């Protein structure tokens, strides 16, 4: 019986220490809450403080309004599960209303490096632009004939529009000036085409005999040349060519059938280009005003300034290309005439037409002239034709183009080659023809819009403000 008072005394001392600790925690919480803004009556939440102990749990001690949770009389009976005891390391149960605190998880965006986030932002925007460009290319491919016809009409308009303006300055009405320029321009182009066809058909028989004689001369030259070519090798090459032509007869026939479809498409494209040219010559300013209304009001001022500059660039390109092509055709044609190469005039016309495809057209037309001279004449004549073609092209590249075209349509040779190849892959010969003027116009428009944006930012900035992006600070 002597142990009972000792046990009761130990339990009472433990409860007393627990009550004292709860009071101290409540006082500290009240002091911390008092440092903030006072809450209106009835709106304060019960203050909970953390009660860590040796058992590892943390609880919230209720305030005085929470009821008699801290009353020693309400403590569980000794010996009950989780009840306090006189031992210093025994478990203390959490008070009523305790909820364990959940640690906040870190933001996943903060865990991604800054460079990766920037690359992802740029990547999805580039994907959207690539998808838009792909859809645009698909649409253009579906209506390729219409697009090419309109672009060709635009190029012809850039060539003929100065004549319409000149006639208007002389007092000719706009409608009459348009009709006169349109008819004369297309009549001249039609006569040139008819002349080429007439020359080829008229000299076809003589050309066939000259080709056969040229092949014999070429064979004899190969047999007597230092290349040690035997007659058996030449006969094998000829037999292989004959076999290839015989095996692909069906393909050649189908290509002929497809050629009829191509001729129909070409005629349709010519008609569309003629109608486009006629209406662009007559109603060009009103068409441009209508196009301006399609742009947002905020961008309309910049586009209105870029349009005339783009048109000036296109006009300078077409006019300069025609002059350069005409000079090439005249001088190379004179060289072919004095070297007595057959079809000198049709070859000169082909050189003029191929000059509208930069770089590639000059190489193809020059190679065609050399091959005709080699087949119809001899090796020496072909070498002389090659020298004439190279000399004229060097004068064109280093003298004529910089002097005639000037800086208005200056495009880097790499951009010219890439644009010609890309245009030919997308739309064939027509794409190769329109690729370079499109790049030149785009270069002019982008340069003007960049300068326009910079000038507008300078005008809007305060006098003592920082310079706009891209401007020197010194």
């Amino acid at each position: 019986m002597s142990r009972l008072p000792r046990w009761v005394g130990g339990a009472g001392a433990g409860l007393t220490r627990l009550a004292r600790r709860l009071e101290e925690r409540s006082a500290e919480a009240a002091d911390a809450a008092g440092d903030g803004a006072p809450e209106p009556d009835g709106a304060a939440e019960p203050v909970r403080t953390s009660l860590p102990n040796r058992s590892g749990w943390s609880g919230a001690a209720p305030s005085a309004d929470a009821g008699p949770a801290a009353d020693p009389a309400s403590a569980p009976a000794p010996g009950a599960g989780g009840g306090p005891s006189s031992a210093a390391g025994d478990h203390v149960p959490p008070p009523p209303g305790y909820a364990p605190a959940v640690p906040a998880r870190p933001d996943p965006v903060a865990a991604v490096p800054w460079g990766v986030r920037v690359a992802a932002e740029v990547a999805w925007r580039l994907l959207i632009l690539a998808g838009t460009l792909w859809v645009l290319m698909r649409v253009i491919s579906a209506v390729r004939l219409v697009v090419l016809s309109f672009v060709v009409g635009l190029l012809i308009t850039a060539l003929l529009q100065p004549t319409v303006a000149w006639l208007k300055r002389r007092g000719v009405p706009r409608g009459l000036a348009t009709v006169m320029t349109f008819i004369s321009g297309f009549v001249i182009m039609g006569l040139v085409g008819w002349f080429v066809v007439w020359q080829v058909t008229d000299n076809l028989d003589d050309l066939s005999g000259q080709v056969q004689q040229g092949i014999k001369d070429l064979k004899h030259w190969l047999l007597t040349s230092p290349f040690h070519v035997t007659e058996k090798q030449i006969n094998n090459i000829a037999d292989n060519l004959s076999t290839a032509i015989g095996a692909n007869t069906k393909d050649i026939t189908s290509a002929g059938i497809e050629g009829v479809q191509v001729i129909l498409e070409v005629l349709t494209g010519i008609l569309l280009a003629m109608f486009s040219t006629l209406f662009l010559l007559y109603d060009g300013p009103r068409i441009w005003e209508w196009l301006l209304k399609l742009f947002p009001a905020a961008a309309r001022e910049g586009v209105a300034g870029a349009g005339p500059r783009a048109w000036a660039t296109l006009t300078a390109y077409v006019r300069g290309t025609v002059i350069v092509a005409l000079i090439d055709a005249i001088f190379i044609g004179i060289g072919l005439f004095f070297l007595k190469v057959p079809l000198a005039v049709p070859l000169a016309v082909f050189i003029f037409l191929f000059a509208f495809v930069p770089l590639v057209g000059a190489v193809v037309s020059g190679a065609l002239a050399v091959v005709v001279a080699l087949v119809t004449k001899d090796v020496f004549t072909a070498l002389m034709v090659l020298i004439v073609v190279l000399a004229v092209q060097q004068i064109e590249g280093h003298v004529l183009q910089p002097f005639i075209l000037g800086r208005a349509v200056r495009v880097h040779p790499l951009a010219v080659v890439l644009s010609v190849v890309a245009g030919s892959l997308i739309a064939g010969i027509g794409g190769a023809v329109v690729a370079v003027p499109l790049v030149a116009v785009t270069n002019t428009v982008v340069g003007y819009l960049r300068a326009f944006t910079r000038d507008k930012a300078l005008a809007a900035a305060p006098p003592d403000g920082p310079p706009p992006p891209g401007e020197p600070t010194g």
Side-chain angles (χ1 to χ4, degrees):
M1 297 298 292
S2 61
R3 295 182 180 179
L4 181 60
R6 188 184 305 171
W7 184 88
V8 173
L15 292 175
T16 301
R17 286 196 300 271
L18 177 61
R20 187 182 301 113
R21 187 179 299 175
L22 290 175
E23 289 176 359
E24 291 174 358
R25 297 293 185 182
S26 298
E28 292 175 1
D31 293 338
D35 294 338
E39 294 290 336
D41 295 340
E45 293 291 336
V47 180
R48 297 180 180 178
T49 58
S50 177
L51 296 176
N53 56 18
R54 298 180 182 178
S55 61
W57 68 273
S58 61
S63 64
D65 297 333
D71 189 0
S74 61
S85 66
S86 59
D90 289 344
H91 174 73
V92 179
Y98 162 74
V102 179
R105 295 183 178 179
D107 187 6
V109 177
V112 180
W114 173 254
V116 177
R117 278 186 278 173
V118 172
E121 293 285 340
V122 174
W124 71 259
R125 287 175 171 84
L126 289 178
L127 287 176
I128 292 177
L129 290 177
T132 304
L133 185 61
W134 182 81
V135 172
L136 182 61
M137 289 295 101
R138 296 288 294 179
V139 172
I140 291 176
S141 299
V143 292
R144 181 175 57 185
L145 180 62
V146 178
V147 174
L148 286 179
S149 301
F150 178 76
V151 173
V152 170
L154 197 64
L155 296 176
I156 298 175
T157 303
L159 178 63
L160 300 180
Q161 195 271 336
T163 305
V164 176
W166 182 81
L167 290 176
K168 286 179 60 181
R169 289 194 298 268
R170 297 298 184 272
V172 181
R174 183 176 184 82
L176 182 59
T178 301
V179 172
M180 291 173 59
T181 306
F182 175 80
I183 293 176
S184 60
F186 277 93
V187 165
I188 291 174
M189 287 186 285
L191 288 177
V192 170
W194 170 80
F195 179 76
V196 172
V197 175
W198 172 63
Q199 285 289 314
V200 172
T201 55
D202 188 58
N203 296 295
L204 189 61
D205 295 335
D206 295 338
L207 182 63
S208 177
Q210 291 177 353
V211 167
Q212 293 178 0
Q213 183 63 35
I215 292 175
K216 292 179 181 179
D217 295 340
L218 180 61
K219 180 180 178 180
H220 177 71
W221 179 81
L222 288 174
L223 291 174
T224 58
S225 66
F227 297 107
H228 303 289
V229 180
T230 63
E231 186 172 1
K232 182 178 180 181
Q233 292 174 341
I234 297 176
N235 293 332
N236 288 335
I237 294 174
D239 293 339
N240 292 332
L241 289 175
S242 301
T243 304
I245 294 174
N248 296 320
T249 304
K250 184 181 296 185
D251 296 337
I252 295 175
T253 305
S254 62
I257 296 174
E258 292 179 358
V260 176
Q261 298 177 354
V262 170
I263 292 174
L264 293 177
E265 290 183 358
V266 168
L267 293 177
T268 305
I270 291 174
L271 291 176
L272 289 175
M274 292 175 64
F275 278 109
S276 301
T277 304
L278 179 62
F279 286 110
L280 288 173
L281 285 174
Y282 182 74
D283 259 348
R286 284 195 290 182
I287 294 174
W288 172 242
E289 292 176 359
W290 177 80
L291 287 175
L292 278 179
K293 296 178 182 178
L294 300 179
F295 290 91
R300 200 168 295 165
E301 183 180 0
V303 176
R309 289 165 177 80
W311 182 252
T313 299
L314 184 63
T315 303
Y317 173 82
V318 174
R319 188 185 307 171
T321 303
V322 169
I323 294 175
V324 171
L326 188 61
I327 293 174
D328 287 353
I330 290 175
F331 281 97
I332 295 178
I334 291 175
L336 294 176
F337 177 78
F338 280 107
L339 291 173
K340 300 184 183 305
V341 177
L343 302 176
V345 176
L347 286 174
V349 174
F350 279 118
I351 291 170
F352 172 79
L353 295 177
F354 277 100
F356 285 92
V357 182
L359 298 181
V360 179
V363 174
V364 173
S365 60
L368 179 63
V370 172
V371 169
V372 171
L374 179 63
V375 172
T376 58
K377 290 293 184 180
D378 49 22
V379 178
F380 176 76
T381 305
L383 289 176
M384 295 301 297
V385 170
L386 179 62
I387 293 173
V388 170
V389 170
L390 292 178
V392 172
Q393 289 180 358
Q394 290 298 315
I395 296 174
E396 169 202 339
H398 294 87
V399 179
L400 297 179
Q401 286 190 354
F403 179 74
I404 296 175
L405 295 179
R407 298 182 61 88
V409 291
R410 181 167 294 180
V411 181
H412 196 275
L414 179 60
V416 172
V417 173
L418 294 179
S419 60
V420 169
V421 174
S424 61
L425 292 177
I426 294 173
I429 297 178
V433 171
V434 304
V436 176
L438 180 62
V439 171
V441 169
T442 303
N443 184 32
T444 301
V445 170
V446 171
Y448 172 78
L449 290 179
R450 186 186 298 116
F452 175 79
T453 304
R454 184 176 61 249
D455 295 341
K456 195 171 182 180
L458 284 173
D464 55 348
E471 287 295 312
T473 56

